[in-house]
Amino acid sequence: MNKAHRFFLSQTCAFIIAVLLLSLLSFDFFHADHDCSGTDCPICAVIHIAHNARLSLCASAGFAAVCAPVLFSASTQKKETKNVLLRTLITDKVKLSF
């Protein structure tokens, strides 16, 4: 997977999360002041589910924002370690004359 493909995937995921959050917020906004039918109101149930989903998405996005730099730094350290292990005198072009 090349860099452009990863960038496209990350942008697509961010867009999908943004659309989900906006749809949940719009449902809350448009149906917050409805005629409640009592304890088994289906609109209240959906509002409750949307609220829990929004909290879950926000927590997941926050967790991803915290973990992304850690994973990125771990991947760059892995590449540097791999380069150190592959180094030889020939690859470093060391002259062995006394």
Side-chain angles (χ1 to χ4, degrees):
M1 183 182 309
N2 59 10
K3 202 173 206 178
H5 193 255
R6 277 186 293 185
F7 180 74
F8 178 72
L9 281 176
S10 65
Q11 294 298 320
T12 305
C13 289
F15 178 74
I16 289 171
I17 289 173
V19 168
L20 284 173
L21 283 173
L22 285 175
S23 66
L24 292 172
L25 286 173
S26 67
F27 187 82
D28 263 355
F29 179 73
F30 289 117
H31 295 287
D33 189 30
H34 68 281
D35 295 327
C36 191
S37 62
T39 58
D40 293 332
C41 180
I43 296 175
C44 289
V46 173
I47 288 174
H48 183 69
I49 291 170
H51 178 71
N52 288 339
R54 187 175 62 242
L55 290 177
S56 174
L57 279 174
C58 289
S60 299
F63 181 73
V66 169
C67 289
V70 173
L71 294 174
F72 179 72
S73 66
S75 68
T76 56
Q77 287 175 356
K78 182 179 175 184
K79 289 178 186 175
E80 291 171 1
T81 305
K82 183 179 177 184
N83 290 339
V84 169
L85 294 175
L86 295 176
R87 290 176 59 188
T88 64
L89 294 175
I90 295 170
T91 59
D92 288 343
K93 298 183 180 177
V94 174
K95 188 174 181 180
L96 296 174
S97 61
F98 294 103

